[in-house]
Amino acid sequence: NYIRNFYEGKYKNMGKRVFSYLSLLPQSLIAPPMYDDDGNKVRIRLNYLLLANPGMAKTVISRHFASWAYNPLVFEDITSSMLNFTLSKKGKRATLVTSDIARIFAKEELIKEMETIIGDDGRLSRLNRRTGDKEKEIEAIACLAGTPDNLNKTIEDGMIFRLCPQICLLTQEQHDEILRSVNEKVGLGFKPEGFIDKEQIIGAYYEIIRRILDGEDENIKLNEKDAYEIPSSFRREIAEKVIPFFNEAFSNTDFTYVRELHQTYRFMIAHALLNIFNRTIISGKILMEQEDLDMAIKLIIAELETKVWIIEGMSDISERRIRNRQELKVFAQSQLQAGSPMNQKKFKIMELLLENR
């Protein structure tokens, strides 16, 4: 809550929403993987995509995140070969950070390379003579940002399904609150001793977490292959509250959601690690608490809803040959009359899809 509230104070109606995800990314990069009872490994790594209109602080938020992310590579434009070369020099782990995905998704080869780098396998696959002859394994996560008009391209290339997408749309009231918050601060002058000191505290805290997860702390140790204690009641709660959402999404889209089920546990574990000093550790295993589960359920349902609205929106536009906003309104009205009113956020997403076809 400290991190979310801190940035909410700077970026009204954006800080809490965005940093609910961003605060979980650093430790997800270096956390021990989880295993099922057959020994199959599931990495904890989380990848994030923020889509928001111009003027909603995407660039500066990305910079804040990069200031305490682990081994960040910040770029606005880069080639596939330069990305590989740079990452090959950064060591075994990296955090990719960009606030302009339009440039990234304009390059087909770069998209495929990023999919390989941040995918489940995590590898640099197109190394040249300068970087070596063999593929190199890498632990990498991504924090990507752009405007909603990039939505179509991310879907076409499939990258959105490797990421946790968050589309930050504002109500009229939220927009008014942002304007008033900005207005109160205009012309007051920058006071670095307050903001920078607090952000440095956040960075120092993540460094402490890094030392623990890298085994450098003498007092707190986690097992490499059995680091998490998840109560069986949590699995039952996920089965009761989350899996029905996945099943409904499957019936509506024909996409499978095993990756999203794993994502629920990634969120839970990353949240527990963020609060490691308030968690019980027994025999090298950190015990998940209800707060971790509650946050995981909240985040995964939001992620799933966004993905389903995007998939359904594209399908409806295609099947019903909706060409513009007026035809979309007619379709939404028909849904209302049929007793199935369209979710307002889905309507907004369909508007975005239509605007940028």
Side-chain angles (χ1 to χ4, degrees):
N1 282 335
Y2 176 86
I3 296 172
R4 291 186 295 150
N5 291 337
F6 172 63
Y7 287 108
E8 179 69 13
K10 301 297 294 185
Y11 307 105
K12 186 71 174 177
N13 290 323
M14 282 289 286
K16 277 190 176 181
R17 286 198 282 180
V18 173
F19 284 92
S20 290
Y21 293 95
L22 293 186
S23 63
L24 304 183
L25 261 63
Q27 60 273 30
S28 80
L29 173 62
I30 60 177
M34 56 182 169
Y35 294 83
D36 63 20
D37 59 359
D38 292 324
N40 298 312
K41 179 167 66 174
V42 177
R43 292 181 173 87
I44 310 301
R45 298 195 303 255
L46 295 166
N47 300 297
Y48 174 72
L49 170 65
L50 168 64
L51 296 174
N53 286 325
M56 292 184 67
K58 295 183 298 298
T59 299
V60 69
I61 283 175
S62 296
R63 290 174 184 165
H64 288 311
F65 170 70
S67 73
W68 37 263
Y70 299 133
N71 210 10
L73 172 58
V74 182
F75 57 93
E76 297 302 317
D77 193 12
I78 197 168
T79 64
S80 174
S81 58
M82 182 55 69
L83 178 63
N84 268 290
F85 178 73
T86 305
L87 287 177
S88 71
K89 301 298 182 182
K90 287 189 77 69
K92 65 179 182 179
R93 62 172 65 127
T95 303
L96 310 183
V97 183
T98 182
S99 60
D100 189 2
I101 59 169
R103 297 185 188 183
I104 305 304
F105 287 107
K107 302 174 182 178
E108 196 69 32
E109 184 179 357
L110 182 57
I111 296 170
K112 298 301 181 185
E113 196 62 28
M114 287 189 63
E115 286 181 341
T116 303
I117 291 167
I118 67 173
D120 295 335
D121 293 335
R123 65 185 188 276
L124 300 176
S125 62
R126 295 184 178 88
L127 300 181
N128 56 37
R129 292 180 181 177
R130 291 181 298 172
T131 59
D133 297 323
K134 299 179 181 179
E135 288 188 342
K136 176 183 176 181
E137 292 186 0
I138 187 169
E139 298 282 336
I141 58 172
C143 170
L144 312 178
T147 55
D149 58 6
N150 302 132
L151 185 57
N152 276 312
K153 186 61 178 172
T154 61
I155 297 167
E156 290 170 7
D157 293 307
M159 178 68 87
I160 199 169
F161 300 106
R162 293 187 177 276
L163 304 162
C164 174
Q166 184 178 39
I167 305 175
C168 287
L169 303 172
L170 297 176
T171 64
Q172 184 65 47
E173 180 181 1
Q174 288 171 329
H175 182 253
D176 179 72
E177 290 173 350
I178 290 174
L179 291 177
R180 294 180 184 279
S181 176
V182 172
N183 185 59
E184 290 175 359
K185 300 170 185 175
V186 171
L188 293 180
F190 180 49
K191 301 177 178 59
E193 67 280 359
F195 185 87
I196 292 179
D197 286 352
K198 290 180 180 178
E199 194 160 55
Q200 287 175 340
I201 290 172
I202 294 173
Y205 183 73
Y206 278 107
E207 174 59 17
I208 294 171
I209 293 177
R210 184 203 65 76
R211 287 179 56 81
I212 293 172
L213 297 181
D214 279 345
E216 297 175 9
D217 189 289
E218 294 298 323
N219 300 312
I220 303 177
K221 298 286 186 181
L222 293 182
N223 302 326
E224 290 186 12
K225 289 193 174 182
D226 189 20
Y228 312 114
E229 183 67 39
I230 303 173
S232 57
S233 61
F234 286 14
R235 293 186 178 85
R236 290 195 297 270
E237 192 166 344
I238 288 172
E240 293 169 1
K241 294 183 177 180
V242 179
I243 288 181
F245 278 89
F246 294 151
N247 288 332
E248 181 181 357
F250 174 76
S251 74
N252 292 337
T253 65
D254 286 335
F255 283 85
T256 57
Y257 293 93
V258 175
R259 178 178 290 171
E260 282 72 18
L261 176 59
H262 287 156
Q263 190 88 325
T264 310
Y265 288 90
R266 292 187 184 101
F267 285 140
M268 178 167 56
I269 289 169
H271 189 268
L273 293 174
L274 180 63
N275 296 278
I276 193 167
F277 294 103
N278 296 318
R279 296 295 179 267
T280 300
I281 299 175
I282 301 176
S283 301
K285 300 171 71 172
I286 181 171
L287 175 62
M288 305 294 111
E289 295 194 359
Q290 187 67 41
E291 180 186 7
D292 307 317
L293 175 62
D294 292 344
M295 178 59 75
I297 291 175
K298 176 183 176 181
L299 294 179
I300 195 58
I301 289 177
E303 175 181 334
L304 185 66
E305 285 179 340
T306 299
K307 288 182 176 178
V308 168
W309 288 331
I310 291 170
I311 297 168
E312 288 183 347
M314 288 190 67
S315 177
D316 288 339
I317 288 171
S318 175
E319 292 178 4
R320 299 177 183 275
R321 299 181 180 180
I322 300 171
R323 297 170 295 179
N324 52 50
R325 193 173 188 274
Q326 184 58 40
E327 292 182 359
L328 176 59
K329 284 185 174 181
V330 172
F331 173 61
Q333 185 63 31
S334 70
Q335 294 285 94
L336 179 62
Q337 292 173 351
S340 302
M342 184 183 295
N343 180 280
Q344 185 62 27
K345 191 167 183 179
K346 179 182 174 181
F347 182 87
K348 288 286 188 182
I349 288 173
M350 291 181 70
E351 278 188 317
L352 294 171
L353 292 168
L354 284 169
E355 288 172 6
N356 300 286
R357 296 189 74 178

